Amino acid sequence: MPNHRSGAGDPARTLRLLWRQPDESPRRGPRQGYSLDDIVTAAIELADTDGLDAVTMRAVAQAVGVAPMTLYTYVPGKAELLDLMLDASYARMPRPDRSGEPWRARVTALAEDNRRLFAAHPWAAEVATGRPPLGPGLMAKYEYELRAFDGTGLPDVQRDAALTYVLDFVRAAARSAAEARLASRESAWSDEQWWAANGPLLARVLDEQRYPTAVQVGAAAGAAQGAAYSPEQAYNFGLARVLDGLGVLIDGGSGGAGRAD
């Protein structure tokens, strides 16, 4: 389970911050020398470099160059700051016009957009978003991505579910890819070196008579991928199957007639 989740802060204060609405209570103290955007950008850069656990109020304050207590005049705490970070990351995503493309090309593009988001900000894939930050960045992202299903004939509820289906796949693939990168960084060996060193032992203990299918398929997959697991292969294969599944619903096997069942 993710250790971090959106929507964990004070809902009213978070929404005011997300939409840059002034606080209802007057603020006392010296005039702020930075903008809220400065604070959020510093937190994102810290998370990009060192991960979400490194994003503490003290660390962000140090990165900005203010006293830790001063930071609380901008944002109440890390929970609200995390929602601001997510929304800012969403707001910065490109949104080119793809209205003239087939639905499969549009959905493939939105998957790639989110894959690039998680590659640039790996921490974003770690955040549970059951209560998403309903800020301008998320709303613009949601509006744009729903249009990938224009002309498919999907009713509103299924259009939302189809988008969630795609985004959940991309998030899961991004987390698996991040885990593979972490394992590679923490190991002194590359995948090729690991297999070269352990291959002889595995060949002795993996009985082809006892595990015939596993040995055959594992050897074929390993040879094709150059490793036991390939994030690129897993993503490409998985996305194709996601599109195939949606195609059954959207095309109905008849070349474009949308189905609602």
Side-chain angles (χ1 to χ4, degrees), residues 35-58:
S35 70
L36 182 57
D37 290 338
D38 294 330
I39 305 301
V40 174
T41 297
I44 290 174
E45 292 175 351
L46 188 60
D48 289 347
T49 303
D50 299 322
L52 270 183
D53 288 337
V55 181
T56 64
M57 296 296 279
R58 179 176 295 276

Side-chain angles (χ1 to χ4, degrees), residues 210-237:
R210 187 175 184 181
Y211 311 109
T213 306
V215 170
Q216 176 184 325
V217 174
Q225 299 171 167
Y229 173 72
S230 167
E232 192 72 18
Q233 166 71 9
Y235 174 82
N236 290 333
F237 181 87

Side-chain angles (χ1 to χ4, degrees), residues 173-213:
R175 288 177 62 85
S176 294
E179 290 168 0
R181 289 193 300 270
L182 179 62
S184 179
R185 286 198 302 268
E186 291 182 344
S187 173
W189 291 343
S190 67
D191 286 340
E192 292 79 5
Q193 291 171 326
W194 190 93
W195 283 106
N198 293 280
L201 173 61
L202 291 172
R204 289 197 301 272
V205 299
L206 294 182
D207 185 354
E208 293 186 18
Q209 300 300 317
R210 187 175 184 181
Y211 311 109
T213 306

Side-chain angles (χ1 to χ4, degrees), residues 120-252:
H121 309 295
W123 54 269
E126 300 175 13
V127 181
T129 54
R131 292 182 177 178
L134 298 177
L138 174 65
M139 295 310 298
K141 180 178 186 289
Y142 185 52
E143 173 74 20
Y144 173 75
E145 292 177 342
L146 284 172
R147 293 176 184 171
F149 298 94
D150 283 353
T152 60
L154 292 179
D156 290 345
V157 173
Q158 287 195 357
R159 185 187 290 221
D160 175 82
L163 176 58
T164 300
Y165 177 48
V166 175
L167 296 182
D168 281 352
F169 162 73
V170 178
R171 179 185 298 273
R175 288 177 62 85
S176 294
E179 290 168 0
R181 289 193 300 270
L182 179 62
S184 179
R185 286 198 302 268
E186 291 182 344
S187 173
W189 291 343
S190 67
D191 286 340
E192 292 79 5
Q193 291 171 326
W194 190 93
W195 283 106
N198 293 280
L201 173 61
L202 291 172
R204 289 197 301 272
V205 299
L206 294 182
D207 185 354
E208 293 186 18
Q209 300 300 317
R210 187 175 184 181
Y211 311 109
T213 306
V215 170
Q216 176 184 325
V217 174
Q225 299 171 167
Y229 173 72
S230 167
E232 192 72 18
Q233 166 71 9
Y235 174 82
N236 290 333
F237 181 87
L239 180 59
R241 303 294 77 76
V242 167
L243 293 172
D244 289 345
L246 290 174
V248 173
L249 181 68
I250 293 169
D251 300 329

